[in-house]
Amino acid sequence: MTRPVVLSLIALACLAGLSLLIGASRLDGNAWQLLAISRAPRTLAALLCGAAMAVAGVIMQQLVRNRFVEPSTTGTTEGAMLGLLLITLIAPGAPVIVKMSVAALAALGGVVGFLALIHRLSPRDPFMVPLIGLIWSGILGAGATWFAWQADLVQYLGNWMTGDFSGVLAGRYELLWLAGAIAVLAYLSADALTVTGLGAARARALGLDHRRAMQLGLGAVALVTALVVVTVGAVPFVGLVVPNLVSRLMGDNLRRTLPVVALGGAGLVLAADIVGRLVRWPYEIPVGTVVGVAGAAVFLWILNTRGGQSHAR
Amino acid sequence: MPADAAAALRHVAPPLPLRAVWGIGVVLALACVAFMTLGLSGRIGFILELRAVKLAALLVVGGGIGTATVLFQTVAANRILTPGILGFDALFLFIQTALVMTLGGIGFASLATGAKFLIETGVMMVAAAALFGLLFRSRGSDLSRMLLTGVIIGVLLRSLAGLMQRLMDPSEFAVVQSAMFASFNSVDRTNLAIAAALFAVIVPLAQAMAGRLDVMALGRRNALGLGLDHDRAVLGVLALVAALTACATALVGPISFLGLLAASLAHRLTGTHRHAVLIPAAAMLGAAILVIGQTVFERVLGQQSSLAVIIEFGGGLLFLTLVLKGVLK
């Protein structure tokens, strides 16, 4: 293991310990029960969700060849919400796996729509791609709001729109392990991802089935996004901020950086969740709100420092 | 001298396509008549009075936003920009939330309506001027970075507002929530009068600047070459834009894409770059979109408040179409 990985692991362990100790109820007689049913699942959910979203961000950035995109700025998250909304309207009692599949398909639709939009943009303008993505997300979000408003589901939509770990208990978060598994698969195909990031022509010259890599990558991103939205709600900016910071510090060799990206995402989400639990103790602020503020601020910094320019492709 | 430059332009340019402006005016007048008269029954005097207030709000807001967008697009040298896309609605939400948070729900609610309106408008104008100033200063590098920065500032403000909303009491939150969606159903008459008075000053002012705006539309270097103090003119126009947008938003709530619809239609229908034509066309189109939309929703579909959402949706689609057609390149 390299030194950054070891350091991030140690920091993560400290955060996880803190997360286990913090909460509205005190650890006393029923401590083990509390830990097993509530605190540990919550901590694990935050770790899995953060790692998976950060890796999904890296995959998106490689596929689109732009540093400033991630699922929540490309219509993927909003697509998943629309799908969830539709299945809730059509078949409210459907099992979770069905809801998940519909959400994943709709998320895929969202990201494919985004690709169709940016297909015509001039590749020289790296800032246009995320801009179009944000507006595309906004339009899908407006569509979702309208549907929800018609069907009196605005509150439901609110639940999906801001990621929140307060409802996580044993038995309610396990789908996130699947998202974690996808992140591991992404690590195993890190080299293929790096090659995909070189562009279609060069990837083909290097012997990679570029089309197939795109399909697999987009499928993975859509699935991770849908899993996270279904279980805890949208967690914005993790997939954007963490990969950018890591690449500034460590460069672009995915085989080397992906573990750090995953650990960084996990740490960011867990830290945000801890902050959300402490700011107004014993009440909570959802992690989506905390990450939204911190992530947007860091994104602005990334965008407007000199590195942002040289890093844009 | 800018006036000379404008006069020179007038000699070269073809005669004003006034017919389009007249056509838009007729459509707007018909829409107003339809809005006032369709489905009248019961105590007609009372209903007409209610409708007249709402119609006035629609006209003021639509006209103000249409004008502001044309001015803004000229200054930004870009046809798909609006103050709304640069996070203006988020700014409004943020200020609203911050006011409720600092004054408390009761303090906020007990402010006299006129005073509250003026405070909101004032704070928004200052904040908007700061935001635009910040964005335009970095414009030298590139436009899309500035745009993206604006959009992300919007996201940041929205998240901050969300954070504050989580920290406040439910009763205070209810006060904020009522301001989150644009609504024409509960417009205060005092505020409307103030806004109308403000617009009655600013829109003619913008109209009077039409010649200078034509010169500015040629780009900074050409405008300087023609003797226009470009940077000062930009500041002046941005102040007008901030006043118009802040006032309209404080009156009914955020509508981001209405201006884009109005300005694009104005360009398309009049087929000119002359601001003497564009400004009235966009103002009337903005008003017409709102009046027609509200008429259709209230009288035909029997719904109350989805107009704003539909405008957002349609305007967003238009934005994407414009991008795809390469207007931004």
Side-chain angles (χ1 to χ4, degrees):
Chain A
M1 273 198 277
T2 52
R3 226 177 70 180
V5 177
V6 175
L7 287 179
S8 347
L9 270 177
I10 292 172
L12 209 55
C14 297
L15 278 176
L18 205 59
S19 167
L20 289 176
L21 292 176
I22 292 169
S25 58
R26 221 174 279 167
L27 291 172
D28 44 24
N30 294 332
W32 280 117
Q33 214 176 347
L34 181 67
L35 282 175
I37 295 178
S38 167
R39 298 279 171 80
R42 179 172 191 153
T43 306
L44 282 172
L47 293 174
L48 286 170
C49 168
M53 286 309 285
V55 170
V58 172
I59 300 178
M60 276 243 54
Q61 286 160 22
Q62 292 295 322
L63 296 185
V64 179
R65 306 187 67 203
N66 185 298
R67 268 192 199 289
F68 302 118
V69 297
E70 68 129 22
S72 77
T73 64
T74 52
T76 318
T77 308
E78 282 73 13
M81 280 179 208
L82 264 174
L84 266 182
L85 206 57
L86 287 181
I87 191 70
T88 308
L89 284 176
I90 298 166
V96 176
I97 194 74
V98 175
K99 289 191 173 172
M100 237 278 318
S101 319
V102 174
L105 276 179
L108 200 58
V111 71
V112 167
F114 166 73
L115 289 180
L117 279 174
I118 62 163
H119 188 63
R120 309 233 200 126
L121 288 177
S122 142
R124 294 219 189 90
D125 196 344
F127 302 109
M128 211 52 218
V129 171
L131 188 64
I132 299 302
L134 279 164
I135 291 174
W136 170 237
S137 305
I139 291 171
L140 290 182
T145 310
W146 189 72
F147 262 123
W149 191 81
Q150 293 282 320
D152 247 334
L153 286 174
V154 174
Q155 251 181 334
Y156 261 105
L157 196 67
N159 288 342
W160 297 323
M161 255 151 64
T162 359
D164 185 4
F165 291 110
S166 63
V168 169
L169 293 173
R172 284 209 199 150
Y173 80 103
E174 279 74 3
L175 273 175
L176 287 176
W177 284 103
L178 196 55
I182 296 173
V184 174
L185 283 181
Y187 176 64
L188 294 180
S189 51
D191 292 340
L193 268 178
T194 308
V195 174
T196 318
L198 297 174
R202 267 185 273 181
R204 244 175 255 128
L206 287 169
L208 184 81
D209 186 348
H210 183 260
R211 219 184 137 77
R212 192 158 172 75
M214 278 297 264
Q215 287 166 347
L216 281 177
L218 290 181
V221 170
L223 199 56
V224 167
T225 310
L227 282 163
V228 171
V229 170
V230 169
T231 34
V232 295
V235 187
F237 288 124
V238 176
L240 195 138
V241 165
V242 175
N244 271 293
L245 292 180
V246 171
S247 119
R248 280 194 179 198
L249 294 173
M250 300 179 58
D252 282 329
N253 180 352
L254 285 186
R255 188 158 285 283
R256 219 159 62 86
T257 58
L258 256 185
V260 183
V261 167
L263 292 174
L268 174 65
V269 172
L270 189 57
D273 187 43
I274 291 172
V275 168
R277 275 185 272 172
L278 287 179
V279 167
R280 218 195 164 191
W281 196 86
Y283 304 106
E284 290 191 11
I285 292 169
V287 69
T289 311
V290 179
V291 178
V293 173
V298 177
F299 189 14
L300 280 177
W301 175 74
I302 292 175
L303 205 58
N304 286 295
T305 47
R306 237 183 316 154
Q309 213 149 21
S310 65
H311 267 71
R313 293 193 247 206
Chain B
M1 290 294 284
D4 291 349
L9 264 181
R10 204 166 296 142
H11 282 295
V12 185
L16 301 181
L18 276 176
R19 263 215 320 234
V21 178
W22 281 112
I24 296 166
V26 171
V27 170
L28 176 60
L30 287 177
C32 291
V33 172
F35 181 80
M36 292 297 289
T37 53
L38 275 183
L40 263 186
S41 64
R43 293 177 53 190
I44 289 176
F46 177 70
I47 294 175
L48 279 182
E49 194 192 326
L50 273 187
R51 285 190 183 182
V53 171
K54 206 188 253 190
L55 180 66
L58 293 169
L59 291 176
V60 165
V61 170
I65 290 183
T67 310
T69 308
V70 168
L71 298 186
F72 192 74
Q73 290 185 343
T74 298
V75 171
N78 184 294
R79 287 265 292 276
I80 65 176
L81 276 186
T82 75
I85 292 173
L86 292 185
F88 206 92
D89 51 340
L91 183 66
F92 172 72
L93 196 63
F94 175 76
I95 289 170
Q96 198 86 4
T97 315
L99 278 178
V100 174
M101 185 113 175
T102 45
L103 298 177
I106 298 174
F108 183 77
S110 59
L111 278 176
T113 47
K116 188 164 88 185
F117 179 74
L118 285 177
I119 293 176
E120 277 175 18
T121 311
V123 173
M124 268 202 288
M125 271 187 66
V126 173
L131 179 67
F132 293 158
L134 195 78
L135 292 175
F136 276 84
R137 198 165 310 144
S138 63
R139 182 175 140 210
S141 52
D142 52 312
L143 179 78
S144 49
R145 180 200 293 249
M146 169 199 123
L147 265 176
L148 188 58
T149 304
V151 173
I152 295 293
I153 287 180
V155 174
L156 179 62
L157 289 175
R158 203 173 277 282
S159 304
L160 279 174
L163 193 63
M164 286 194 281
Q165 286 160 14
R166 296 281 175 174
L167 293 174
M168 52 175 59
D169 288 328
S171 59
E172 292 181 348
F173 177 68
V175 178
V176 173
Q177 198 177 23
S178 65
M180 283 189 341
F181 293 102
S183 162
F184 294 94
N185 295 322
S186 52
V187 175
D188 182 87
R189 290 183 194 196
T190 321
N191 299 348
L192 181 59
I194 301 175
L198 204 77
F199 284 12
V201 176
I202 293 179
V203 175
L205 209 63
Q207 191 70 33
M209 288 179 72
R212 224 174 301 171
L213 285 163
D214 289 342
V215 177
M216 288 170 80
L218 299 174
R220 184 167 187 273
R221 201 188 293 173
N222 290 330
L224 285 175
L226 286 168
L228 182 74
D229 184 350
H230 185 266
D231 294 347
R232 239 187 71 196
V234 164
L235 274 183
V237 174
L238 281 182
L240 293 188
V241 170
L244 285 173
T245 322
C247 196
T249 314
L251 193 62
V252 295
I255 309 183
S256 348
F257 281 117
L258 173 67
L260 184 71
L261 285 173
S264 304
L265 275 175
H267 276 286
R268 176 64 52 88
L269 292 178
T270 61
T272 178
H273 297 289
R274 308 285 313 272
H275 285 80
V277 176
L278 276 179
I279 291 174
M284 287 197 292
L285 278 167
I289 292 170
L290 285 185
V291 175
I292 293 172
Q294 193 75 13
T295 312
V296 169
F297 269 99
E298 279 187 20
R299 312 274 182 271
V300 183
L301 300 178
Q303 287 176 335
Q304 279 294 309
S305 54
S306 29
L307 175 63
V309 181
I310 292 292
I311 289 180
E312 293 302 271
F313 195 67
L317 287 180
L318 174 70
F319 180 86
L320 291 178
T321 323
L322 289 175
V323 171
L324 287 183
K325 280 191 173 167
V327 175
L328 202 64
K329 274 180 204 165

